[in-house]
Amino acid sequence: MTRIADDIKLDFDDVLIEPQRSELFSRKEVNIERTFTFKHTKETWTGVPIISANMDTTGTFELAKIFAEYKMLTAVHKHYSVSEWEDFIKNNPSILNHVMVSTGVSENDFQKVKDIMKITNDIKFICIDIANGYSRILEKFVSKVRKEFPEKIIVAGNVVSKNMAEVLHESGADIVKVGIGPGSVCTTRIITGVGMPQLSAIIDCADASHGLKGHIIGDGGCKTAGDVSKAFCGGADFVMLGGIFAGHEESEGEIVTIEGKKFKKYYGMSSSTAMKKHSGGVKNYRASEGKEVLIPLKGSIHKTIQQILGGVRSTCTYIGAEKIKEMPKRASFIRVNRIVNTVYGQSDGLNL
């Protein structure tokens, strides 16, 4: 019998954060770093819990160097060769604490991770990333990686519900990646009809993960700095961003000039563009679940990073949170019909 859940699920555009009385005098007082101790390993990590997504336009070695300056993380995409990793590790030993090795779930992927980890022990994070985190293949692969690397911090996803967050933690994941279909260049919800509004997914999965002393990444759906704050307020321990970091001078992507204006190509990693580039094209048994867009060239990524971090600090002053960790405890959401006045257009508040 078909079941319909009657409780309303919400996205970032459906809510605002209610301001609270605050003792904070300045944004400078806000601590945007966190120190984590993880479920399955004795390893700890301290830094700003924002991650550049493991797409071949944003999860690059070049951006990893920049994000490390801000103590942020980069989930490096899985299409670099072992020799390319070797060069990067040799030339950037001081920032390895701020990168994740991304992998799929094949035997070749597993061997590649082992080969990379043989080069250095200074990389702490392994990000196991497949579109459908509900596959038993992911559970088995997480257990396999946990057995091979008991000291590493393992990320696994993507899922959007409590039960699967719990399953992945029990399989060996320290951090569960949350989000199916919210990304700006993801068409999974259109092609498959599957997904969950991102804010509710974060709230539900955070509740389950934190009950097991695990952590989550809110992956996708953020269009503005305010959305990043809403993700943290909803319980996300980390927030992963792709589209916000795409289209900059330092991001990868082909530059296209149209009528004198410069754009950069940006595409989903399940798009026909990405599959043609990395897999020889779309297989005859599947559909493309991503699209390619042209983003007006944004300029330097440093300004965007500063806008996001400044926005999070400002949110904290509005709700009286001295640090990111306190945001879920201090925040209350208000359901709204609209979040901004658009009479003069709508700005994303980034890279103005």
Side-chain angles (χ1 to χ4, degrees):
M1 181 178 177
T2 301
R3 293 178 295 144
I4 298 178
D6 292 326
D7 56 318
I8 296 173
K9 300 298 183 181
L10 302 171
D11 226 323
F12 298 127
D13 286 346
D14 297 318
V15 300
L16 287 169
I17 303 164
E18 183 178 5
Q20 308 288 339
R21 188 169 182 270
S22 175
E23 300 290 339
L24 294 169
F25 177 73
S26 169
R27 294 169 180 83
K28 292 180 181 178
E29 298 177 49
V30 177
N31 181 5
I32 58 171
E33 293 185 28
R34 282 194 65 177
T35 296
F36 297 93
T37 301
F38 297 97
K39 178 177 174 63
H40 293 286
T41 174
K42 295 178 181 178
E43 289 289 336
T44 61
W45 182 83
T46 299
V48 177
I50 294 175
I51 308 168
S52 188
N54 49 342
M55 307 172 80
D56 62 12
T57 47
T58 60
T60 64
F61 289 147
E62 204 57 42
L63 285 186
K65 300 172 191 176
I66 295 172
F67 285 110
E69 296 175 22
Y70 295 89
K71 300 183 180 180
M72 295 159 61
L73 284 158
T74 300
V76 176
H77 70 75
K78 65 182 181 180
H79 300 291
Y80 284 118
S81 67
V82 175
S83 62
E84 287 173 317
W85 266 103
E86 193 166 10
D87 289 341
F88 173 74
I89 290 167
K90 179 182 177 181
N91 294 316
N92 301 278
S94 64
I95 71 168
L96 300 181
N97 192 39
H98 293 278
V99 298
M100 296 179 172
V101 175
S102 298
T103 179
V105 294
S106 71
E107 279 301 317
N108 287 339
D109 292 325
F110 185 59
Q111 183 59 52
K112 186 175 179 181
V113 172
K114 290 197 292 184
D115 291 342
I116 293 168
M117 292 303 180
K118 285 177 185 176
I119 303 169
T120 179
N121 196 43
D122 291 336
I123 298 176
K124 292 185 176 184
F125 292 90
I126 299 172
C127 181
I128 306 168
D129 184 55
I130 63 175
N132 180 7
Y134 290 76
S135 169
R136 287 291 302 276
I137 295 171
L138 180 60
E139 297 171 42
K140 294 177 181 178
F141 194 80
V142 169
S143 298
K144 185 177 180 178
V145 174
R146 171 55 63 205
K147 184 177 180 181
E148 182 72 22
F149 301 105
E151 77 287 1
K152 298 300 180 184
I153 302 160
I154 297 175
V155 178
N158 281 29
V159 300
V160 291
S161 52
K162 287 184 174 184
N163 63 322
M164 281 307 301
E166 292 170 349
V167 166
L168 291 178
H169 284 306
E170 291 165 359
S171 299
D174 298 289
I175 309 170
V176 170
K177 199 144 72 74
V178 176
I180 292 179
S184 58
V185 286
C186 180
T187 59
T188 293
R189 294 177 182 177
I190 297 169
I191 298 298
T192 70
V194 174
M196 174 82 72
Q198 184 69 349
L199 179 60
S200 287
I202 287 171
I203 291 170
D204 289 350
C205 291
D207 180 58
S209 293
H210 296 162
L212 295 175
K213 297 184 178 180
H215 297 88
I216 71 161
I217 296 170
D219 175 19
C222 292
K223 303 185 294 295
T224 67
D227 291 342
V228 177
S229 290
K230 290 174 186 177
F232 282 130
C233 287
D237 302 290
F238 300 82
V239 178
M240 179 175 278
L241 305 171
I244 284 178
F245 292 143
H248 292 86
E249 294 170 359
E250 302 88 347
S251 309
E252 287 295 320
E254 180 185 346
I255 295 178
V256 177
T257 302
I258 301 175
E259 296 181 353
K261 296 182 179 180
K262 290 186 176 181
F263 300 81
K264 265 197 174 181
K265 287 185 179 181
Y266 176 55
Y267 47 85
M269 294 309 290
S270 291
S271 66
S272 57
T273 302
M275 286 188 276
K276 183 178 180 180
K277 181 176 180 180
H278 299 295
S279 307
V282 181
K283 306 300 182 185
N284 59 11
Y285 54 83
R286 64 171 299 176
S288 166
E289 293 181 29
K291 60 185 176 182
E292 178 183 281
V293 298
L294 294 176
I295 300 176
L297 195 60
K298 296 177 181 177
S300 174
I301 200 168
H302 290 278
K303 190 171 182 180
T304 294
I305 293 171
Q306 289 166 2
Q307 284 288 100
I308 292 169
L309 300 184
V312 172
R313 287 191 181 96
S314 191
T315 302
C316 287
T317 65
Y318 272 108
I319 62 175
E322 294 183 359
K323 46 193 171 183
I324 284 181
K325 186 177 181 180
E326 295 177 359
M327 293 177 78
K329 297 176 184 177
R330 298 286 303 178
S332 295
F333 290 113
I334 310 164
R335 285 183 60 195
V336 296
N337 293 321
R338 66 175 185 177
I339 61 171
V340 291
N341 184 336
T342 58
V343 66
Y344 294 119
Q346 181 171 346
S347 167
D348 60 10
L350 298 171
N351 219 343
L352 299 177

